[in-house]
Amino acid sequence: MARYVGVDWASRGWLTVATDGEEWTAQMHPSMHSVWFDHRDAAAILVDVPIGLPEAGRRACDRQAKEFLGDRASSVFWTPCREAVEAPTYERARQENESCRGDGLSSQAWGLIPRIREVDRLLRDGVDAEATILESHPEVCFRALGGGESLPSKHDADGLEARRTVLEAVDDSIAGVYEDFEESLIESQPQWARRIGESNRDDLLDAMGLALAAKRGAGDFRTLPDDPPLDAEGLPMQIVYAGRR
């Protein structure tokens, strides 16, 4: 039976949520290579990290995702250019981004660069993962799965509850899964990943939303933009998602 996987960074490592259409599981991983090793037979793996890095300017998929989200547009970061991602220091990365994109680099975007670099290198390692590991964005997925409705911030109780409601309305197999994960996830994990704290509850829901989008869209994803361009390494600059139907 096919598996569908959502992946989000959760403070200490990569949090994966996987489903075969009936059962749901969650696990922490120390690296994206570990994620790929455990889930390389999946039908689709959606990850909340930019894939496909611009050489100049801003990516169309980031711009369209911001337009799609409207009042939640700030949840989409402008993707750094490849030279900035490869830069050894923040100052050098800011200079490279200024040179190729025309603007600087926020401290938040700099914090994402190790994750971007990790996924980029995996996809260029010759592991034949680029057809399976695809870039997505949790807020885009929740907006699409929720029929276009805007949701409160995921950083408060109302936002978390609204996202759980969307997931359970779309797929009844997910009912109660969040509570089970919250209680039991990490019990059998290594010490470095022993707890999901209050600050990671949104990461858990994000990974669940990505997994559900993977399940509903595999083989027929919607993309931003409709005809995604490739970067200099041949990776698509796109954000994939699935609609409610």
Side-chain angles (χ1 to χ4, degrees):
M1 187 177 293
R3 279 194 300 167
Y4 309 93
V5 184
V7 187
D8 196 42
W9 178 257
S11 302
R12 301 173 181 86
W14 295 99
L15 172 59
T16 65
V17 171
T19 181
D20 60 6
E22 297 178 1
E23 298 297 322
W24 293 77
T25 59
Q27 187 175 359
M28 292 290 290
H29 291 267
S31 69
M32 274 302 297
H33 280 77
S34 171
V35 172
W36 175 244
F37 181 81
D38 276 4
H39 297 291
R40 58 192 182 279
D41 61 341
I45 300 172
L46 300 193
V47 59
D48 179 22
V49 165
I51 294 172
L53 306 177
E55 299 299 313
R58 290 173 168 171
R59 303 192 311 170
C61 58
D62 295 335
R63 184 177 295 106
Q64 290 190 18
K66 284 179 173 290
E67 294 170 356
F68 183 77
L69 291 174
D71 60 340
R72 302 290 301 155
S74 62
S75 66
V76 179
F77 291 101
W78 296 114
T79 297
C81 66
R82 181 169 293 283
E83 293 298 325
V85 169
E86 297 294 344
T89 65
Y90 179 40
E91 186 58 36
R92 178 69 177 274
R94 290 180 61 191
Q95 293 171 356
E96 295 290 355
N97 228 43
E98 177 70 35
S99 175
C100 74
R101 207 180 69 183
D103 58 4
L105 188 75
S106 69
S107 58
Q108 292 126 315
W110 171 248
L112 290 174
I113 278 181
R115 313 283 80 81
I116 298 172
R117 188 185 301 130
E118 185 179 353
V119 175
D120 181 65
R121 290 179 178 174
L122 169 66
L123 293 174
R124 295 193 290 123
D125 265 355
V127 295
D128 197 26
E130 58 269 28
T132 305
I133 298 177
L134 304 171
E135 176 185 349
S136 189
H137 193 289
E139 290 298 300
V140 170
C141 290
F142 278 112
R143 178 68 68 96
L145 292 170
E149 185 176 340
S150 179
L151 299 178
S153 169
K154 66 181 183 179
H155 298 297
D156 59 40
D158 288 344
L160 294 176
E161 182 62 29
R163 283 159 179 78
R164 289 170 58 192
T165 299
V166 167
L167 296 177
E168 293 177 4
V170 171
D171 190 328
D172 57 13
S173 78
I174 210 167
V177 168
Y178 176 81
E179 292 87 346
D180 291 343
F181 284 165
E182 198 174 29
E183 291 176 7
S184 63
L185 183 66
I186 317 306
E187 289 295 326
S188 61
Q189 300 294 323
Q191 188 64 42
W192 62 268
R194 192 50 57 88
R195 291 191 58 200
I196 290 278
E198 292 283 336
S199 63
N200 297 123
R201 291 181 176 182
D202 60 314
D203 300 319
L204 180 55
L205 279 169
D206 282 349
M208 292 171 70
L210 292 169
L212 183 55
K215 175 186 173 184
R216 295 182 68 81
D220 189 29
F221 286 111
R222 301 180 185 181
T223 66
L224 300 173
D226 290 334
D227 186 18
L230 302 181
D231 74 357
E233 299 294 332
L235 299 174
M237 292 187 283
Q238 65 180 1
I239 293 172
V240 309
Y241 65 102
R244 188 165 188 165
R245 294 178 191 167

